[in-house]
Amino acid sequence: MTGFTFLRRTVVLVAAVLTLSQSLMAQSLSKGGTAYHTAGLQANGLVYTWGEGGNGQLGNDNNDDSSSPVQVVKGVYSGTTYLGDDTDNKITMLGSGGYFSIALATDGTVYTWGYGGWGTLGQNSTSSSGTPVKVLDGEYSGTEYLGDNSSNKITAVAQGRHHSIALAADGTVYTWGYNLYGQLGNNSSGDESNKSTPVKVLKGAYSGTTYLGDGDNKIIAVAAGQQHSIALDSVGTVYAWGYGGHGQLGNDEYNSSSTPVKVVDGAYSGTTYLGDNGSNKITAIAAGGYHSIALATDGTVFTWGRGGSGELGESASSNRDIPVKVV
């Protein structure tokens, strides 16, 4: 009997480990450095969340916190029971903002849930939702929803504290939500009103016609911090906009900007701007609350912005308004 009990416990333990592995060690975790909750994506497209849930950001139709993963229900998603359970339209990317979450589906449409104040859910309202809702098209050239134009799907999403960013296949960028510091990047005249449906980011210092990414040099990646946004183009140049009070825009200033500015080279071995050395381009970007991060082809890492707690990875714990090299 003792041996049987031990075996049974072993089987239960193994099953628990397998379940945990499937939930947490699957395809990816949410991108977002400004939240108190996390979202995990299984390889089969299903979504799990855990952490703070007081605003419905766990997506399981209640406002309870959870210290273990819960499954996000489908809401308006065209599945059976859970978000991502339609095998023809899996969830491919996640983000977690301050009190809300975002998910990108295979067909290019975008879902949000949680706190809706400031228009963060992209629903043309400030209502919250404990289950996923579909982001409307706004200034995107679709039929009704963001990403529903099959020839120009949304390919990536990111979240700041109270705003979201979506990257389209044609390289253009859309934002919505809180905009006090210009983090939506949509108005050169300084309009900082919140937007409850997606707006198109203007070009700013980008060498296009009207909008960021509308030229031959597409935007290929986006990221968001607490109140700022960053983007990477196909030649390796980095752009930033929004709150710059800690130097997180990387343009040798501590000012905010409501349109994209180019990050200067700083400690990077370029000519003028970060990434302008063709033999050592910037290949990836990320953002923390008040700092930004860039990875170069040669494997070196550059940071800028708030450094008071050592988040820039250099010996001096101070803010930097130009990129420094992580030691």
Side-chain angles (χ1 to χ4, degrees):
M1 178 64 75
T2 303
F4 174 76
T5 301
F6 175 77
L7 177 60
R8 183 174 61 188
R9 288 176 178 172
T10 301
V11 170
V12 170
L13 178 60
V14 170
V17 170
L18 287 174
T19 302
L20 186 64
S21 298
Q22 290 167 351
S23 299
L24 303 184
M25 297 176 64
Q27 184 168 311
S28 67
L29 297 176
S30 57
K31 294 183 177 181
T34 63
Y36 298 106
H37 71 286
T38 305
L41 179 64
Q42 279 190 319
N44 61 6
L46 297 177
V47 181
Y48 294 81
T49 54
W50 60 98
E52 185 178 11
N55 290 278
Q57 59 265 52
L58 300 189
N60 62 332
D61 204 17
N62 66 54
N63 292 337
D64 298 332
D65 298 346
S66 180
S67 59
S68 59
V70 296
Q71 199 160 358
V72 176
V73 299
K74 74 182 190 73
V76 302
Y77 170 81
S78 58
T80 305
T81 308
Y82 298 107
L83 183 65
D85 68 6
D86 179 354
T87 56
D88 293 325
N89 191 31
K90 294 179 180 180
I91 298 302
T92 61
M93 181 177 286
L94 301 172
S96 52
Y99 303 102
F100 69 115
S101 304
I102 191 168
L104 174 64
T106 303
D107 67 0
T109 54
V110 180
Y111 298 84
T112 54
W113 60 95
Y115 184 66
W118 304 297
T120 49
L121 301 189
Q123 281 284 292
N124 198 26
S125 77
T126 55
S127 299
S128 300
S129 178
T131 62
V133 296
K134 215 170 188 178
V135 177
L136 296 173
D137 52 359
E139 294 183 359
Y140 170 83
S141 57
T143 304
E144 186 176 3
Y145 299 106
L146 182 66
D148 68 5
N149 179 350
S150 60
S151 64
N152 189 31
K153 295 180 180 180
I154 297 301
T155 60
V157 292
Q159 279 184 290
R161 183 70 169 173
H162 302 302
H163 75 288
S164 298
I165 310 174
L167 173 63
D170 67 358
T172 54
V173 181
Y174 299 84
T175 55
W176 63 96
Y178 192 60
N179 194 33
L180 180 61
Y181 300 100
Q183 56 262 58
L184 300 189
N186 69 313
N187 202 300
S188 57
S189 64
D191 176 14
E192 295 174 345
S193 59
N194 303 331
K195 302 297 180 184
S196 59
T197 59
V199 294
K200 212 169 186 178
V201 176
L202 294 174
K203 73 183 188 75
Y206 171 80
S207 58
T209 304
T210 307
Y211 299 105
L212 182 66
D214 68 4
D216 294 331
N217 182 26
K218 293 182 179 181
I219 297 300
I220 60 171
V222 292
Q226 182 96 348
Q227 295 154 339
H228 75 288
S229 308
I230 60 177
L232 172 67
D233 71 19
S234 60
V235 300
T237 310
V238 182
Y239 303 84
W241 62 98
Y243 182 61
H246 298 283
Q248 60 265 56
L249 301 191
N251 63 331
D252 202 14
E253 295 181 7
Y254 288 94
N255 297 321
S256 301
S257 178
S258 59
T259 58
V261 297
K262 264 183 181 180
V263 177
V264 300
D265 52 359
Y268 169 82
S269 58
T271 304
T272 307
Y273 299 107
L274 182 66
D276 67 6
N277 178 350
S279 63
N280 190 30
K281 296 196 297 185
I282 297 301
T283 61
I285 53 173
Y290 296 107
H291 71 289
S292 303
I293 310 166
L295 172 66
T297 302
D298 67 359
T300 53
V301 180
F302 298 87
T303 55
W304 59 99
R306 186 183 186 279
S309 300
E311 52 266 69
L312 300 188
E314 61 164 354
S315 56
S317 294
S318 58
N319 298 344
R320 300 290 188 179
D321 61 357
I322 59 175
V324 294
K325 193 180 281 191
V326 175
V327 295

